[in-house]
Amino acid sequence: MAVQKPSIPKGTRDFGPAEMAGRNYIFDTVRSVFRKYGYAPIETPSMENLSTLLGKYGEEGDKLLFKILNSGDAFAKVDWEKVRTEEGINSNALALQVCEKGLRYDLTVPFARYVVQHRNELVFPFKRYQIQPVWRADRPQKGRYREFYQCDVDVIGSRSQLYELELIQIVDDVFAALGVRIVLKINNRKVLSGLAEVCGHPDKLIDITVAIDKIDKIGLDAVKAELLERGLEQKAIDLIEPVLTLQGTNEEKIAAMRPILANSEIGMRGLDELEELFGYVTAAGFHQEIEIDLSLARGLNYYTGAIFEVKAKDFQIGSICGGGRYDDLTGIFGLPDTSGVGISFGADRIYDVLSGLNLFPEGAVRGTNILFANMDAAGVRYALPIMQELRQAGLAVELYPEATKLKKQFDYAEKKGIRYLVIAGETEVQNQVLNFKDLSTGKQDVIERNNLEQILKTVAEN
Amino acid sequence: MAVQKPSIPKGTRDFGPAEMAGRNYIFDTVRSVFRKYGYAPIETPSMENLSTLLGKYGEEGDKLLFKILNSGDAFAKVDWEKVRTEEGINSNALALQVCEKGLRYDLTVPFARYVVQHRNELVFPFKRYQIQPVWRADRPQKGRYREFYQCDVDVIGSRSQLYELELIQIVDDVFAALGVRIVLKINNRKVLSGLAEVCGHPDKLIDITVAIDKIDKIGLDAVKAELLERGLEQKAIDLIEPVLTLQGTNEEKIAAMRPILANSEIGMRGLDELEELFGYVTAAGFHQEIEIDLSLARGLNYYTGAIFEVKAKDFQIGSICGGGRYDDLTGIFGLPDTSGVGISFGADRIYDVLSGLNLFPEGAVRGTNILFANMDAAGVRYALPIMQELRQAGLAVELYPEATKLKKQFDYAEKKGIRYLVIAGETEVQNQVLNFKDLSTGKQDVIERNNLEQILKTVAEN
C-alpha cells in the first residue's frame, strides 16, 4: 500500500501527554468538587437519533450537526423523486433519507432525552454532571473546534433556589481549587422581562437586552441611541437609563430596581428571587467577587430564572463558565413542567487561563519520577524488584530498555522531564546500594538497598 | 412541536450514575497503574480522515466504519456518472464521494497515525495509554455494542522485551488492585511460524493455529483429524502432536519445544524470546498464574513476537485483556521498522467480571455521604456553613431542597443510598448541635456544632 501522509480532519485536535495532564487536572478538580455536592456522573452515546437533535438548536444549529451515514447499503432505499429538484439534488432532503443518526451537538439535549427516557429509574431532584465531547460542523478558527469537551452540571426536578446556591458554591470551590480569581455575574430573566414590560414593550425583550449588553463596549449614549433605533420611545429609554448606570452593592442594586419594576409582577418576582439567592449566598459564604449584572443575557431564549456567567479577573478571555435556570427542558420529550438549573464549565478556555497565568501545579504535568538506567543484565535483575517496591509506594518509575550509552539514557530522562535517575551497575549490586541522582541539581547520593524510604522522602519533598 | 418518544440508536448505551461509578473505578485503577510505569495519556479525535481508516481492518472492517456525511451541500459535487450502475446507485462509491471522515474503529490505527504525525515532538521509546470510545457498525447483540470504550497501553520505538515484562507487570498490578484472579497466557508468533516451518508448510501457519486453538473444546483426536483435513501429512501431524499435549512448567515447555523446532531458525528465536521474557518475569516477580500457551493466536496477522491473553479464573467470559508485539504498525504512514508492544483492557468485560463476582468496593459506587434535612429557613442558614466545613474535609454532602415532610426527605436519602442524615431544626439551632442519624442502623447522636470531627470520624470508619 502507498505511504500516506498522516493528518487529521480540520477543526480537530490530538492531545499529547502534556496537554492531557493539564486537561485531566482540570477535569479531576471539577469532578472532585461536583462529588462533594452530591452530583453523580452520567454518559450518553456520542450518536443520537437525528430526530432527537433536529430542531433543538435553531435552523443554524441543524446545519452544524454532523450526520452519520446509515451503515450497509445506505442509498438503496432512497426515494429519488423526493430529492430531485430543478437545480439537481436537494442535499438536505437526501441527507435525511440516508442518515438516521447524528453526533451530539451539546450535552443539554441528550441530558433532557436521558431524564425522560429513564425517569422511572431516577431519584428526583436528579443531580448529574457530564464531561464528554460534542461536535459542531462550524467553520474552524482560532479557539473554535469541531470537536470539544463540555463539562455540564445540572439538577432537575426542583424549583428551589438552594440549587442556584449550590452551583454558585461549586463555581467558588472549583476556581479556588484551580487558583483562578473570578467575577461571578448574576442576573435573572424575570427582571429583564419585567423591564421590557414596564417599558411597554414586552415583545422587545431581546432588543433591549442586546443593546444593554453593549454598555461596557460602546458607552451609555450609544446604547441609548441604539434603543431608540430599535423602536423604543424616549420615555421608555428614560425609564431604562437608571438600570444602565446602576451602582453600589448587590443589595443596593436590588433596592434601586424595586421602584422601577413596581408595576411588573414578573419583574418583582425576579427581584425577590435575586434577593432570596443573595440571602443564601451570604449565609453560606462566597469567597470571590459576585455581582448582579443586569446586562447579562446568555441563552435568553432558554433560561427562565437565574442566569450566571463567570469571568477570569486576571486574563482576557470570554466567559469561562455559565448557565442558568430553565423551566421546560424536557417538555419536548414528554415530561413537562420540570424545572432545572445548570452550569457549564468551558474546559478549553479554563485550560488557556491556567496556562496563560502559569497556574498548573508542577505535579499535575509531571509524569515519571525516577528513571533507572540500564547498566547490564545483572543490574536489571537487581533493579526490577526495587522498582516494584517504589511503584507500590506510589512512585512512577521507568527502566531504560537497553544497556546503551549512559549519555543516551540521560538524554531520555531530560527530554521527558524525569528529575531523578538511579544507577544500579556492578558496584551497586555488589554493595547492595543504589546511586541516586537529582538531575536538576546534579546532587548524587548512595542509598542502601534496604533504605528506599530515603528515596520516597526525597521525591515527595520535591 | 409534537412530543417525541425518547430513544437512542440501537447498539448504544446510556450510563447512569451507578454504572459510571463502576466504570470510573476500573478506569481510575488502570490509569494509576499505567502512571506508575511511566505511561502517559493521549487522546485523538473521534473522527479520522477516511483515508486513514480504510484498508486497515480488512474488507469486513471497512464495511463496519461509521462514515460522516460532509457538512454543507454534501451532494452538490457528486460525479453521478461514477456511481451509477446498471442496477442503480453504487452505495459504496457514492458514500466515498460524500464522506471524507469516519469514526475511529479502534485506538491502534489512530495511535500509529499520531506517532508518525508527531514523531518530531515525541521522545522514543514513546509510552502512551489511551482510554476512549470506538465505533463499529456491527450487528448489535448481547455484549456487543456499536460504541464501546477501549483502554490501550503501548510502547513504541524499542525491541527490548523489558517492555513485554512491563506490560505483564501492569496486568499483574491492575488485576491485583481489582481483586480479580487471572491466568495470563503467553505465546510467541515466531514459535508458531517455526512450527509451520518444521512441518514443511510455512504457508499453513493459520490453518495449523486455527486447529490447535480448538484443542480444549474438541480434544486431541478431532484436532488431528482437522489438521489432516487442512492438508497436513501424517508425518507433520506426528511432529505437532507433542506440542498439543505439552505439560509441565513454562521452563519445561520451552525445553520440550527445542528439539521439535531445532531446524527452524525463527522458531528457535521465538523460544529464546520466551526464555528471556520468563527470566525477566522471575526476576521481577509475578503474583498470579502465568503460562505458555502455544495455541494462543489472537491477532495473528498483526503480531510478530509475544502474544498475550488474560482470562479471569473465577468467571466464565472471553479474554479480558490481550495484546502483543508488532514490528511495523507505522510503516503505512511513513515510519517503517518501528517495533512496539501493547495490550488492551476490555473495560466492558472487566465490568461484568467485577459485577458478577461482587468485587466493586462499596466506596466505589457510593455517592453522597450525608443528607442534611431541610427543616426551615433558619435551619438552612445554620446548616450551610457547617456543610461547607464538611465538604472541605472531603465529604459529599447534600441539603434537601425544600422544607417538606421529613418522610419524603428520608425517602430521598434511602433511594439514593445516602447512609447518614443530619437534622438541624429549631432545637438544634438553639443548642448549637446537630442531630446525626445512621440510617443503616437507626442509631442517632447529638453532636456539638464545634465537634464536626466526630462526624468525619464516623463516616470514615464506615
Side-chain angles (χ1 to χ4, degrees):
Chain A
M1 208 180 288
V3 165
Q4 300 178 344
K5 193 175 177 305
S7 67
I8 51 177
K10 62 179 177 180
T12 69
R13 292 169 287 177
D14 284 324
F15 296 109
E19 289 143 308
M20 284 298 293
R23 292 165 64 80
N24 283 340
Y25 168 68
I26 295 170
F27 291 139
D28 289 346
T29 303
V30 294
R31 258 192 290 259
S32 84
V33 173
F34 294 165
R35 195 194 67 83
K36 286 190 200 168
Y37 288 82
Y39 290 78
I42 72 162
E43 285 192 3
T44 61
S46 302
M47 310 173 181
E48 293 276 351
N49 292 318
L50 269 181
S51 57
T52 299
L53 302 175
L54 284 168
K56 307 302 188 300
Y57 307 105
E59 218 173 297
E60 211 36 54
D62 282 355
K63 285 188 197 150
L64 300 184
L65 293 174
F66 278 111
K67 300 183 185 73
I68 295 163
L69 194 68
N70 293 343
S71 43
D73 199 352
F75 294 93
K77 288 179 195 157
V78 169
D79 181 343
W80 292 99
E81 287 311 308
K82 287 205 177 141
V83 301
R84 237 172 241 131
T85 66
E86 279 177 26
E87 291 82 38
I89 295 286
N90 180 327
S91 267
N92 199 34
L94 181 50
L96 293 180
Q97 284 204 38
V98 295
C99 300
E100 277 163 14
K101 297 178 287 293
L103 294 176
R104 71 174 158 253
Y105 178 90
D106 69 1
L107 301 178
T108 307
V109 168
F111 173 54
R113 193 266 311 142
Y114 176 91
V115 167
V116 181
Q117 191 172 333
H118 299 274
R119 63 197 191 216
N120 296 324
E121 309 145 35
L122 302 181
V123 183
F124 290 96
F126 178 58
K127 303 168 82 169
R128 86 85 172 80
Y129 70 86
Q130 193 169 352
I131 302 177
Q132 288 191 281
V134 302
W135 295 269
R136 297 181 185 179
D138 250 322
R139 184 181 303 276
Q141 59 183 58
K142 192 178 175 312
R144 194 202 278 160
Y145 302 100
R146 291 185 146 194
E147 174 177 51
F148 57 97
Y149 270 79
Q150 288 194 337
C151 174
D152 282 18
V153 53
D154 290 82
V155 53
I156 195 160
S158 166
R159 290 180 192 280
S160 168
Q161 283 206 104
L162 283 169
Y163 287 126
E164 271 83 343
L165 171 70
E166 224 169 62
L167 296 179
I168 289 172
Q169 291 180 299
I170 284 175
V171 165
D172 202 17
D173 285 3
V174 163
F175 290 107
L178 295 175
V180 177
R181 299 200 312 146
I182 55 157
V183 187
L184 171 63
K185 297 183 174 202
I186 299 192
N187 197 2
N188 190 300
R189 157 71 183 254
K190 296 188 179 82
V191 172
L192 295 174
S193 298
L195 200 60
E197 217 173 84
V198 296
C199 283
H201 289 286
D203 54 310
K204 287 206 190 297
L205 171 58
I206 286 168
D207 285 290
I208 295 172
T209 323
V210 167
I212 291 183
D213 192 27
K214 295 184 184 162
I215 184 126
D216 284 345
K217 282 189 210 128
I218 63 176
L220 179 61
D221 289 335
V223 167
K224 284 160 71 179
E226 180 165 340
L227 287 169
L228 206 61
E229 218 170 88
R230 286 176 180 267
L232 261 71
E233 305 81 15
Q234 191 56 47
K235 209 183 107 189
I237 295 172
D238 289 346
L239 210 147
I240 289 177
E241 182 162 351
V243 179
L244 298 175
T245 53
L246 222 51
Q247 294 294 330
T249 66
N250 294 310
E251 290 69 24
E252 286 164 354
K253 284 181 183 172
I254 295 173
M257 288 295 292
R258 289 219 178 263
I260 300 171
L261 297 183
N263 288 326
S264 162
E265 198 196 311
I266 191 163
M268 291 305 271
R269 258 201 290 141
L271 291 175
D272 289 346
E273 286 184 11
L274 278 174
E275 193 162 74
E276 182 192 47
L277 183 52
F278 275 95
Y280 288 146
V281 171
T282 306
F286 185 80
H287 305 95
Q288 304 238 34
E289 208 169 302
I290 181 166
E291 63 171 46
I292 291 178
D293 180 348
L294 294 170
S295 71
L296 182 64
R298 49 184 295 141
L300 197 60
N301 316 327
Y302 177 77
Y303 294 129
T304 51
I307 305 173
F308 306 116
E309 188 168 272
V310 177
K311 297 227 168 179
K313 286 189 82 159
D314 307 311
F315 195 79
Q316 277 295 331
I317 202 165
S319 75
I320 53 179
C321 179
R325 177 169 286 273
Y326 40 83
D327 276 346
D328 190 23
L329 190 65
T330 53
I332 184 71
F333 297 114
L335 187 68
D337 297 326
T338 307
S339 188
V341 56
I343 51 172
S344 183
F345 287 82
D348 285 313
R349 284 188 179 168
I350 294 172
Y351 185 96
D352 289 345
V353 171
L354 295 185
S355 170
L357 296 176
N358 214 1
L359 288 175
F360 282 116
E362 212 179 310
V365 287
R366 170 158 298 161
T368 301
N369 301 110
I370 305 175
L371 177 71
F372 274 64
N374 191 325
M375 308 304 289
D376 53 32
V380 165
R381 277 195 302 274
Y382 173 66
L384 286 172
I386 297 175
M387 293 171 63
Q388 284 306 80
E389 287 179 47
L390 294 171
R391 286 175 182 136
Q392 237 123 53
L395 295 194
V397 183
E398 286 186 52
L399 171 62
Y400 196 82
E402 282 119 20
T404 181
K405 277 183 231 150
L406 262 183
K407 166 84 176 66
K408 200 172 166 192
Q409 305 194 36
F410 274 80
D411 277 358
Y412 176 84
E414 200 197 319
K415 280 191 205 151
K416 281 194 72 168
I418 301 175
R419 177 157 175 182
Y420 300 100
L421 188 129
V422 166
I423 292 177
E426 213 183 320
T427 324
E428 287 80 14
V429 175
Q430 210 157 46
N431 300 328
Q432 294 286 300
V433 296
L434 298 170
N435 189 329
F436 183 70
K437 275 179 189 297
D438 182 337
L439 297 179
S440 72
T441 61
K443 193 164 165 284
Q444 165 163 347
D445 275 317
V446 174
I447 289 176
E448 302 284 324
R449 190 253 172 273
N450 291 322
N451 188 19
L452 300 182
E453 295 77 32
Q454 203 182 325
I455 293 183
L456 297 175
K457 208 166 146 254
T458 307
V459 174
E461 280 167 2
N462 290 296
Chain B
M1 210 180 287
V3 165
Q4 300 179 344
K5 193 173 176 305
S7 68
I8 50 177
K10 62 180 178 180
T12 69
R13 293 168 286 177
D14 285 322
F15 296 109
E19 289 143 310
M20 283 299 293
R23 292 166 63 81
N24 284 339
Y25 168 68
I26 294 170
F27 290 140
D28 289 346
T29 303
V30 294
R31 256 193 291 259
S32 83
V33 174
F34 294 165
R35 193 194 68 83
K36 286 188 200 168
Y37 288 82
Y39 290 79
I42 71 161
E43 286 192 2
T44 60
S46 302
M47 311 173 180
E48 293 276 352
N49 292 319
L50 269 181
S51 57
T52 299
L53 302 174
L54 284 167
K56 308 303 188 299
Y57 308 105
E59 218 173 298
E60 210 38 54
D62 282 355
K63 285 188 197 150
L64 300 183
L65 292 174
F66 279 111
K67 300 183 185 74
I68 295 163
L69 194 68
N70 293 343
S71 44
D73 199 353
F75 294 93
K77 288 179 196 157
V78 171
D79 182 343
W80 292 98
E81 289 311 310
K82 289 204 175 142
V83 302
R84 236 171 243 133
T85 66
E86 279 177 24
E87 292 81 39
I89 295 287
N90 179 328
S91 267
N92 199 35
L94 180 49
L96 292 180
Q97 285 205 37
V98 296
C99 299
E100 277 163 13
K101 297 178 288 292
L103 293 176
R104 71 173 158 254
Y105 179 90
D106 68 2
L107 301 178
T108 307
V109 168
F111 173 55
R113 193 266 310 144
Y114 176 91
V115 167
V116 180
Q117 191 172 332
H118 299 274
R119 63 196 190 217
N120 295 325
E121 309 145 36
L122 301 181
V123 184
F124 290 96
F126 178 59
K127 304 167 82 169
R128 84 87 171 80
Y129 70 86
Q130 193 169 354
I131 303 176
Q132 290 192 277
V134 302
W135 296 268
R136 297 181 185 180
D138 251 321
R139 186 182 303 275
Q141 60 183 56
K142 191 177 176 310
R144 193 202 280 161
Y145 302 99
R146 293 187 144 191
E147 174 179 51
F148 57 97
Y149 270 79
Q150 288 193 338
C151 174
D152 282 17
V153 54
D154 290 82
V155 54
I156 195 159
S158 166
R159 290 181 193 279
S160 169
Q161 283 205 105
L162 283 169
Y163 288 126
E164 272 83 345
L165 171 70
E166 222 169 62
L167 296 179
I168 289 171
Q169 292 180 299
I170 285 175
V171 165
D172 201 18
D173 285 3
V174 162
F175 291 107
L178 295 175
V180 177
R181 299 201 313 146
I182 56 157
V183 187
L184 172 64
K185 296 182 175 203
I186 299 193
N187 196 2
N188 190 299
R189 157 71 183 254
K190 297 189 178 82
V191 172
L192 295 174
S193 299
L195 200 59
E197 216 172 85
V198 296
C199 283
H201 290 287
D203 56 310
K204 288 207 190 296
L205 172 57
I206 286 168
D207 286 290
I208 296 172
T209 322
V210 167
I212 292 185
D213 191 29
K214 295 183 183 163
I215 184 126
D216 284 345
K217 282 189 208 124
I218 63 177
L220 179 61
D221 290 336
V223 168
K224 283 161 70 179
E226 181 164 339
L227 286 169
L228 206 62
E229 219 170 88
R230 286 177 181 265
L232 261 70
E233 305 82 14
Q234 190 58 47
K235 211 184 105 190
I237 295 172
D238 289 345
L239 210 146
I240 289 177
E241 182 161 352
V243 180
L244 298 175
T245 54
L246 221 50
Q247 295 293 330
T249 65
N250 294 310
E251 291 68 24
E252 286 164 357
K253 284 181 183 171
I254 295 172
M257 288 296 292
R258 290 218 177 264
I260 300 172
L261 297 182
N263 289 324
S264 163
E265 197 196 313
I266 191 163
M268 291 304 270
R269 258 200 290 144
L271 291 175
D272 289 346
E273 285 185 10
L274 278 175
E275 194 163 72
E276 182 192 47
L277 183 51
F278 275 95
Y280 289 146
V281 170
T282 305
F286 185 81
H287 306 94
Q288 304 238 35
E289 209 170 302
I290 181 166
E291 63 172 43
I292 292 178
D293 180 348
L294 294 171
S295 70
L296 182 63
R298 49 181 297 139
L300 195 61
N301 316 326
Y302 178 75
Y303 295 130
T304 52
I307 306 174
F308 306 116
E309 188 168 271
V310 178
K311 297 226 170 180
K313 287 190 83 160
D314 307 311
F315 195 79
Q316 276 295 331
I317 202 164
S319 77
I320 53 178
C321 180
R325 176 167 289 271
Y326 40 82
D327 276 346
D328 190 24
L329 190 65
T330 53
I332 183 70
F333 298 114
L335 187 67
D337 297 325
T338 306
S339 187
V341 56
I343 51 170
S344 183
F345 288 82
D348 285 313
R349 284 187 179 168
I350 294 172
Y351 185 96
D352 290 346
V353 172
L354 295 185
S355 168
L357 296 175
N358 214 2
L359 288 175
F360 283 116
E362 213 178 308
V365 286
R366 170 159 297 159
T368 301
N369 301 109
I370 306 176
L371 177 70
F372 273 63
N374 190 325
M375 308 305 287
D376 53 32
V380 166
R381 276 196 302 276
Y382 173 66
L384 286 172
I386 296 175
M387 294 171 63
Q388 284 306 79
E389 286 178 49
L390 294 171
R391 286 176 182 136
Q392 237 123 54
L395 295 194
V397 183
E398 285 188 51
L399 170 62
Y400 195 81
E402 282 119 20
T404 180
K405 277 184 231 150
L406 262 183
K407 166 84 174 68
K408 200 173 164 191
Q409 304 194 35
F410 273 79
D411 277 358
Y412 175 84
E414 200 197 318
K415 281 192 205 152
K416 282 194 70 167
I418 303 175
R419 177 159 175 180
Y420 300 100
L421 188 129
V422 166
I423 292 176
E426 213 182 320
T427 325
E428 287 80 14
V429 176
Q430 210 157 45
N431 300 329
Q432 294 287 300
V433 296
L434 298 169
N435 189 328
F436 182 70
K437 273 178 188 301
D438 183 336
L439 298 178
S440 74
T441 61
K443 194 167 166 282
Q444 163 164 349
D445 275 317
V446 174
I447 288 174
E448 303 283 324
R449 189 254 174 273
N450 291 322
N451 189 18
L452 300 182
E453 294 77 30
Q454 203 181 323
I455 293 183
L456 297 175
K457 207 164 148 257
T458 307
V459 174
E461 279 167 2
N462 290 295

